[in-house]
Structures are given as structure tokens and as C-alpha cells.
Amino acid sequence: MLQYLMLPLYWVWVSSILAWWLQYLELSLYGEEFYLRKDLKVRAFKTYHVIPSQGYIVYSIKQKLKQEYVGLPGDEIKKLKLSGVEITNTSTAPEIAFTGDTMSDFIKDPKNIDVLRAKILIMESTYVEDKTTADNAREYGHTHLSEIINFADMFQNKAILLIHFSARYQLDVIQEAISAIPPPLAGRVFALTEGF
């Protein structure tokens, strides 16, 4: 049980670290990449707001020895590598995506498929109840929780962390809306309400 109580705190920590890194990046073009380390890179993606905006995806990069070299002695592998032979396959995986302010249009953008595949998606959900419609949210460049639910089948993320709630909502209203989310999103969507 304790592990489930600690999970939201972990995500607060992860999103804080991500926000800290992103403030130092100056990725100005959609698709532009910046390497944080040799095993981590960030790519900017297009979001849809009333002013120009973009989100970011953090990718892990892994090198794996090609199958044909598995089992060779280390000195042979080293010789191959020094002779210029490519001995590894490179794989990248979207780990964390962060949208910032955006309408739900980013979900339908085929260029943003990795956003929906990232293990953790941190996205806005300014409006969560029926007094404000999805059209009202769109008018101001934001996303309504009902839109997230409508696109539920597109989200492959293990966890979706919602931020940027309207100040009109008390915490209990946000929690009630999140707890009412139906499958397949139920249990994967969480509200980050502390400091967001």
C-alpha cells in the first residue's frame, strides 16, 4: 500500500526535475533535439494554444550489442569497434512528455505519436467539470477533461499526470472528477495539484 501512496510524490519529483531541465533548453523548432546526456535527449513538439507554444518529450537512448556479436570475447568486440564496425543497435524510447498549455489538438497530430507513447505524460486539464464546456476551454487554448476521456483509446501512457487546473476549482472537485474517469484511463490518470 505504501508504494501507491509514494507514487504521486515520485511524479511530483519527476515533473519538477523535468520543468527545471526544460527552462534551460532553447528548442525553438518543433522536432529540434537537445542531448541532456548521451543516454537522454529532449525533442520539442507542437502544441496548440492561443499563443505559439510547444511541449517536450524526454527520450532514453540505449545501445545494445547486435545479435551476431553476442558471445564473442571482449577483445574481439573491441577490435571490431576500433576498426569502425557498428557493433550495437540504438533504440530510443519516449519516457516523459510535457505539454504545457494546449488544446487537445496535439492528441490528433500524427507528428506527436510519441507524446501518447511516453511512459509518463504530464499535460494540462484546465477544466474538469460540466459547467465549462470543451468549446469554452478551446476558446482560451486549453483542454477539458472530457476531451481527454473522449480520446482515451489514443493514450498508451502508463500514467497521465494532469496539471494547470483552473483556480475556480477546490481540490475536492478535481479529485472527484479524476476518480470518475472511466476505463481505459481509470487508474492511470492522476491530478498533480501541489505547486501546479
Side-chain angles (χ1 to χ4, degrees), residues 35-87:
Y35 282 80
L36 300 172
R37 304 185 315 220
K38 79 176 199 179
D39 63 339
L40 283 178
K41 70 178 177 180
V42 175
R43 182 178 63 80
F45 67 91
K46 183 175 181 167
T47 58
Y48 299 81
H49 192 49
V50 293
I51 60 171
S53 63
Q54 62 189 25
Y56 302 94
I57 306 172
V58 177
Y59 291 88
S60 63
I61 304 165
K62 295 181 181 165
Q63 305 289 327
K64 187 171 181 177
L65 190 62
K66 289 183 178 178
Q67 191 60 39
E68 62 261 32
Y69 304 120
V70 173
L72 288 178
D75 57 338
E76 271 190 62
I77 292 172
K78 184 176 180 180
K79 284 180 191 175
L80 287 168
K81 186 173 181 176
L82 291 174
S83 71
V85 173
E86 186 60 50
I87 61 168

Coordinates of all heavy atoms in Angstrom, one line a residue, residues 35-87:
Y35 N 20.5 17.0 -26.6 CA 21.0 15.9 -25.7 C 21.3 16.4 -24.3 O 22.2 17.3 -24.2 CB 22.2 15.2 -26.4 CG 21.8 14.3 -27.5 CD1 21.5 14.8 -28.7 CD2 21.7 12.9 -27.3 CE1 21.1 14.0 -29.8 CE2 21.3 12.1 -28.3 CZ 21.0 12.6 -29.5 OH 20.6 11.8 -30.6
L36 N 20.7 15.8 -23.3 CA 21.0 16.1 -21.9 C 22.2 15.3 -21.5 O 23.1 15.9 -20.8 CB 19.8 15.7 -21.0 CG 18.5 16.4 -21.4 CD1 17.4 15.8 -20.5 CD2 18.6 17.9 -21.1
R37 N 22.3 14.1 -21.9 CA 23.4 13.2 -21.7 C 23.5 12.3 -22.9 O 22.6 12.4 -23.8 CB 23.2 12.3 -20.4 CG 23.0 13.1 -19.2 CD 22.9 12.2 -18.0 NE 22.1 11.0 -18.1 CZ 21.3 10.5 -17.2 NH1 21.2 11.1 -16.1 NH2 20.7 9.4 -17.4
K38 N 24.4 11.4 -23.0 CA 24.5 10.5 -24.2 C 23.3 9.5 -24.2 O 23.0 9.0 -25.2 CB 25.8 9.8 -24.3 CG 26.1 8.6 -23.4 CD 27.4 8.0 -23.8 CE 27.4 6.6 -23.2 NZ 28.7 5.9 -23.5
D39 N 22.7 9.3 -23.0 CA 21.6 8.4 -23.0 C 20.2 9.0 -22.8 O 19.2 8.4 -22.6 CB 21.8 7.3 -21.9 CG 21.9 7.9 -20.5 OD1 22.1 9.2 -20.4 OD2 21.6 7.2 -19.5
L40 N 20.2 10.4 -22.8 CA 18.9 11.1 -22.7 C 18.9 12.3 -23.7 O 19.8 13.1 -23.8 CB 18.8 11.7 -21.3 CG 18.3 10.8 -20.2 CD1 18.3 11.6 -18.9 CD2 17.0 10.2 -20.4
K41 N 17.8 12.4 -24.4 CA 17.6 13.6 -25.2 C 16.2 14.1 -25.1 O 15.3 13.4 -24.7 CB 17.9 13.3 -26.7 CG 16.9 12.4 -27.4 CD 17.2 12.1 -28.8 CE 16.2 11.2 -29.5 NZ 16.5 11.0 -30.9
V42 N 16.0 15.4 -25.5 CA 14.7 16.1 -25.4 C 14.4 16.5 -26.8 O 15.3 17.0 -27.5 CB 14.8 17.3 -24.5 CG1 13.5 18.1 -24.5 CG2 15.1 16.9 -23.1
R43 N 13.1 16.3 -27.2 CA 12.7 16.8 -28.5 C 11.4 17.7 -28.3 O 10.6 17.4 -27.5 CB 12.3 15.7 -29.4 CG 11.8 16.1 -30.8 CD 11.5 15.0 -31.7 NE 10.4 14.2 -31.3 CZ 9.1 14.5 -31.5 NH1 8.8 15.6 -32.1 NH2 8.2 13.6 -31.1
A44 N 11.4 18.8 -29.0 CA 10.3 19.7 -28.9 C 9.2 19.2 -29.8 O 9.5 18.7 -30.9 CB 10.7 21.2 -29.3
F45 N 7.9 19.4 -29.4 CA 6.8 19.1 -30.3 C 5.8 20.2 -30.3 O 5.7 21.0 -29.3 CB 6.2 17.7 -29.9 CG 5.5 17.7 -28.6 CD1 4.1 17.9 -28.5 CD2 6.2 17.3 -27.5 CE1 3.5 17.9 -27.3 CE2 5.5 17.2 -26.2 CZ 4.2 17.5 -26.1
K46 N 4.9 20.2 -31.3 CA 4.0 21.3 -31.5 C 2.8 21.1 -30.5 O 2.2 20.0 -30.5 CB 3.5 21.4 -32.9 CG 2.5 22.5 -33.1 CD 2.1 22.6 -34.6 CE 1.1 23.8 -34.7 NZ 0.9 24.2 -36.0
T47 N 2.4 22.1 -29.8 CA 1.1 22.2 -29.1 C 0.3 23.3 -29.7 O 0.7 24.0 -30.5 CB 1.4 22.4 -27.6 OG1 2.1 23.6 -27.4 CG2 2.2 21.2 -27.0
Y48 N -0.9 23.4 -29.2 CA -1.9 24.3 -29.8 C -2.5 25.2 -28.7 O -3.3 24.7 -27.9 CB -3.0 23.5 -30.5 CG -2.5 22.6 -31.6 CD1 -1.9 21.4 -31.3 CD2 -2.5 23.1 -32.9 CE1 -1.4 20.6 -32.4 CE2 -2.0 22.3 -33.9 CZ -1.5 21.1 -33.7 OH -0.9 20.3 -34.7
H49 N -2.1 26.4 -28.7 CA -2.6 27.4 -27.6 C -2.9 28.7 -28.4 O -2.7 28.8 -29.6 CB -1.5 27.6 -26.6 CG -1.9 28.3 -25.4 ND1 -3.0 27.9 -24.7 CD2 -1.3 29.3 -24.7 CE1 -3.1 28.7 -23.6 NE2 -2.1 29.6 -23.6
V50 N -3.4 29.7 -27.7 CA -3.7 30.9 -28.3 C -2.5 31.7 -28.7 O -2.6 32.7 -29.5 CB -4.7 31.8 -27.4 CG1 -6.0 31.1 -27.3 CG2 -4.1 32.0 -26.0
I51 N -1.4 31.4 -28.1 CA -0.1 32.0 -28.5 C 0.8 30.8 -28.9 O 0.5 29.7 -28.6 CB 0.6 32.8 -27.3 CG1 0.8 31.9 -26.1 CG2 -0.3 34.0 -27.0 CD1 1.6 32.6 -25.0
P52 N 1.9 31.1 -29.6 CA 2.8 30.0 -30.0 C 3.3 29.2 -28.8 O 3.6 29.8 -27.8 CB 4.0 30.7 -30.7 CG 3.4 32.0 -31.2 CD 2.4 32.4 -30.2
S53 N 3.2 27.9 -28.9 CA 3.6 27.0 -27.8 C 4.2 25.7 -28.3 O 4.0 25.3 -29.4 CB 2.3 26.7 -26.9 OG 1.4 26.0 -27.6
Q54 N 4.8 25.0 -27.4 CA 5.4 23.7 -27.7 C 5.5 22.9 -26.4 O 5.6 23.5 -25.3 CB 6.7 23.8 -28.4 CG 7.8 24.5 -27.6 CD 9.0 24.7 -28.5 OE1 9.0 24.8 -29.7 NE2 10.2 24.8 -27.8
G55 N 5.6 21.6 -26.6 CA 5.8 20.7 -25.5 C 7.2 20.0 -25.7 O 7.9 20.3 -26.6
Y56 N 7.5 19.1 -24.8 CA 8.8 18.4 -24.8 C 8.6 17.0 -24.5 O 7.8 16.6 -23.7 CB 9.8 19.1 -23.8 CG 10.0 20.5 -24.1 CD1 9.2 21.5 -23.4 CD2 10.9 21.0 -25.0 CE1 9.4 22.8 -23.6 CE2 11.1 22.3 -25.2 CZ 10.3 23.3 -24.5 OH 10.5 24.6 -24.8
I57 N 9.4 16.1 -25.2 CA 9.5 14.7 -24.9 C 10.9 14.4 -24.5 O 11.9 14.8 -25.2 CB 9.1 13.9 -26.1 CG1 7.8 14.3 -26.7 CG2 9.1 12.4 -25.7 CD1 7.5 13.6 -28.0
V58 N 11.1 13.7 -23.4 CA 12.4 13.2 -23.0 C 12.5 11.7 -23.4 O 11.6 10.9 -23.1 CB 12.6 13.3 -21.4 CG1 13.9 12.7 -21.0 CG2 12.5 14.7 -21.0
Y59 N 13.5 11.4 -24.1 CA 13.8 10.0 -24.6 C 15.0 9.4 -23.9 O 16.0 10.1 -23.7 CB 14.1 10.0 -26.1 CG 13.0 10.4 -27.0 CD1 12.7 11.8 -27.4 CD2 12.2 9.4 -27.6 CE1 11.7 12.1 -28.2 CE2 11.2 9.8 -28.5 CZ 10.9 11.1 -28.8 OH 9.9 11.5 -29.7
S60 N 14.9 8.1 -23.7 CA 16.0 7.3 -23.2 C 16.7 6.8 -24.5 O 15.9 6.4 -25.5 CB 15.7 6.2 -22.3 OG 14.8 5.3 -22.9
I61 N 18.0 6.7 -24.5 CA 18.7 6.1 -25.6 C 19.5 4.9 -25.1 O 20.3 5.1 -24.2 CB 19.6 7.2 -26.3 CG1 18.8 8.4 -26.7 CG2 20.4 6.6 -27.5 CD1 19.6 9.6 -27.0
K62 N 19.3 3.8 -25.7 CA 20.1 2.6 -25.3 C 20.8 2.0 -26.5 O 20.3 2.0 -27.6 CB 19.1 1.6 -24.7 CG 18.4 2.1 -23.4 CD 17.5 1.1 -22.8 CE 16.9 1.8 -21.6 NZ 15.7 1.1 -21.1
Q63 N 22.0 1.5 -26.1 CA 22.9 0.8 -27.1 C 22.8 -0.7 -26.7 O 23.1 -1.0 -25.5 CB 24.3 1.3 -27.1 CG 24.4 2.8 -27.3 CD 24.2 3.2 -28.7 OE1 24.4 2.4 -29.7 NE2 23.6 4.3 -28.9
K64 N 22.6 -1.6 -27.7 CA 22.5 -3.0 -27.4 C 23.4 -3.7 -28.4 O 23.3 -3.4 -29.6 CB 21.1 -3.5 -27.4 CG 21.0 -5.0 -27.0 CD 19.6 -5.4 -26.8 CE 19.6 -6.8 -26.3 NZ 18.2 -7.3 -26.1
L65 N 24.2 -4.6 -27.9 CA 25.1 -5.4 -28.8 C 24.3 -6.1 -29.8 O 23.3 -6.8 -29.5 CB 26.0 -6.3 -28.0 CG 27.1 -7.1 -28.7 CD1 28.1 -6.1 -29.2 CD2 27.7 -8.1 -27.7
K66 N 24.7 -6.0 -31.1 CA 24.0 -6.7 -32.2 C 24.1 -8.2 -31.9 O 25.1 -8.7 -31.4 CB 24.6 -6.4 -33.5 CG 24.2 -5.0 -34.0 CD 24.8 -4.7 -35.4 CE 24.4 -3.3 -35.8 NZ 25.0 -3.0 -37.2
Q67 N 23.0 -8.9 -32.3 CA 22.9 -10.4 -32.1 C 24.1 -11.2 -32.6 O 24.6 -12.1 -32.0 CB 21.6 -10.9 -32.7 CG 21.3 -12.3 -32.2 CD 21.1 -12.4 -30.7 OE1 20.6 -11.6 -30.0 NE2 21.6 -13.5 -30.2
E68 N 24.6 -10.8 -33.8 CA 25.7 -11.5 -34.4 C 27.0 -11.4 -33.6 O 27.9 -12.2 -33.8 CB 26.0 -11.1 -35.8 CG 26.4 -9.7 -36.0 CD 25.2 -8.8 -36.4 OE1 24.1 -9.0 -36.0 OE2 25.5 -7.8 -37.2
Y69 N 27.1 -10.5 -32.6 CA 28.3 -10.3 -31.8 C 28.2 -10.9 -30.4 O 29.2 -10.9 -29.7 CB 28.8 -8.9 -31.8 CG 29.0 -8.3 -33.2 CD1 28.3 -7.2 -33.7 CD2 29.9 -8.9 -34.1 CE1 28.4 -6.7 -34.9 CE2 30.1 -8.4 -35.4 CZ 29.3 -7.3 -35.8 OH 29.5 -6.8 -37.1
V70 N 27.0 -11.3 -30.1 CA 26.7 -11.8 -28.7 C 27.5 -13.1 -28.6 O 27.5 -14.0 -29.5 CB 25.2 -12.1 -28.5 CG1 25.0 -12.8 -27.2 CG2 24.5 -10.8 -28.5
G71 N 28.3 -13.2 -27.5 CA 29.1 -14.4 -27.2 C 30.5 -14.3 -27.7 O 31.3 -15.2 -27.3
L72 N 30.8 -13.3 -28.4 CA 32.3 -13.1 -28.8 C 33.0 -12.6 -27.6 O 32.5 -11.9 -26.8 CB 32.4 -12.0 -29.9 CG 31.9 -12.4 -31.3 CD1 32.1 -11.2 -32.3 CD2 32.7 -13.6 -31.9
P73 N 34.3 -13.0 -27.6 CA 35.2 -12.5 -26.5 C 35.3 -10.9 -26.5 O 35.2 -10.3 -27.6 CB 36.5 -13.1 -26.7 CG 36.3 -14.3 -27.7 CD 35.0 -13.9 -28.4
G74 N 35.5 -10.3 -25.4 CA 35.5 -8.9 -25.3 C 36.6 -8.3 -26.2 O 36.4 -7.2 -26.8
D75 N 37.8 -8.9 -26.3 CA 38.8 -8.3 -27.1 C 38.5 -8.3 -28.6 O 38.8 -7.4 -29.3 CB 40.2 -9.0 -26.9 CG 40.2 -10.5 -27.1 OD1 39.1 -11.1 -27.1 OD2 41.3 -11.1 -27.4
E76 N 37.7 -9.3 -29.0 CA 37.2 -9.3 -30.4 C 36.2 -8.2 -30.7 O 36.3 -7.6 -31.7 CB 36.6 -10.7 -30.8 CG 37.6 -11.7 -31.3 CD 36.9 -13.0 -31.8 OE1 36.1 -12.8 -32.8 OE2 37.0 -14.0 -31.2
I77 N 35.3 -8.0 -29.8 CA 34.3 -7.0 -29.9 C 35.1 -5.6 -29.9 O 34.7 -4.7 -30.7 CB 33.3 -7.0 -28.7 CG1 32.5 -8.3 -28.9 CG2 32.5 -5.8 -28.7 CD1 31.5 -8.6 -27.7
K78 N 36.1 -5.4 -29.1 CA 36.8 -4.2 -29.0 C 37.5 -3.9 -30.4 O 37.5 -2.8 -30.9 CB 37.8 -4.2 -27.9 CG 38.6 -3.0 -27.7 CD 39.5 -3.0 -26.5 CE 40.3 -1.7 -26.4 NZ 41.2 -1.8 -25.2
K79 N 38.1 -5.0 -31.0 CA 38.8 -4.9 -32.3 C 37.8 -4.5 -33.4 O 38.1 -3.6 -34.2 CB 39.5 -6.2 -32.7 CG 40.8 -6.5 -31.9 CD 41.3 -7.8 -32.4 CE 42.5 -8.2 -31.5 NZ 42.9 -9.6 -31.8
L80 N 36.6 -5.1 -33.4 CA 35.6 -4.7 -34.3 C 35.2 -3.3 -34.2 O 35.1 -2.6 -35.2 CB 34.4 -5.6 -34.2 CG 34.5 -7.1 -34.6 CD1 33.3 -7.9 -34.1 CD2 34.6 -7.1 -36.1
K81 N 35.0 -2.9 -33.0 CA 34.6 -1.5 -32.8 C 35.7 -0.5 -33.2 O 35.4 0.5 -33.9 CB 34.3 -1.3 -31.3 CG 33.7 0.1 -31.0 CD 33.2 0.2 -29.6 CE 32.7 1.6 -29.3 NZ 32.1 1.8 -28.0
L82 N 36.9 -0.8 -32.9 CA 38.0 0.1 -33.2 C 38.3 0.1 -34.8 O 38.7 1.1 -35.3 CB 39.3 -0.4 -32.5 CG 39.4 -0.1 -31.0 CD1 40.6 -0.7 -30.4 CD2 39.3 1.4 -30.7
S83 N 37.8 -0.9 -35.4 CA 38.0 -1.0 -36.9 C 36.9 -0.3 -37.6 O 36.8 -0.2 -38.8 CB 38.1 -2.4 -37.4 OG 36.9 -3.1 -37.3
G84 N 35.9 0.2 -36.9 CA 34.8 1.0 -37.4 C 33.5 0.2 -37.7 O 32.6 0.8 -38.2
V85 N 33.5 -1.0 -37.3 CA 32.3 -1.8 -37.4 C 31.3 -1.4 -36.4 O 31.6 -1.2 -35.2 CB 32.6 -3.3 -37.2 CG1 31.3 -4.2 -37.2 CG2 33.6 -3.8 -38.3
E86 N 30.0 -1.2 -36.8 CA 28.9 -0.8 -35.9 C 28.5 -2.1 -35.2 O 27.9 -2.9 -35.8 CB 27.8 -0.2 -36.7 CG 26.7 0.4 -35.8 CD 27.1 1.5 -34.9 OE1 27.8 2.4 -35.3 OE2 26.8 1.3 -33.7
I87 N 28.8 -2.2 -33.9 CA 28.5 -3.4 -33.2 C 27.2 -3.3 -32.4 O 26.8 -4.3 -31.8 CB 29.7 -3.8 -32.3 CG1 30.0 -2.7 -31.3 CG2 31.0 -4.1 -33.1 CD1 30.9 -3.1 -30.1

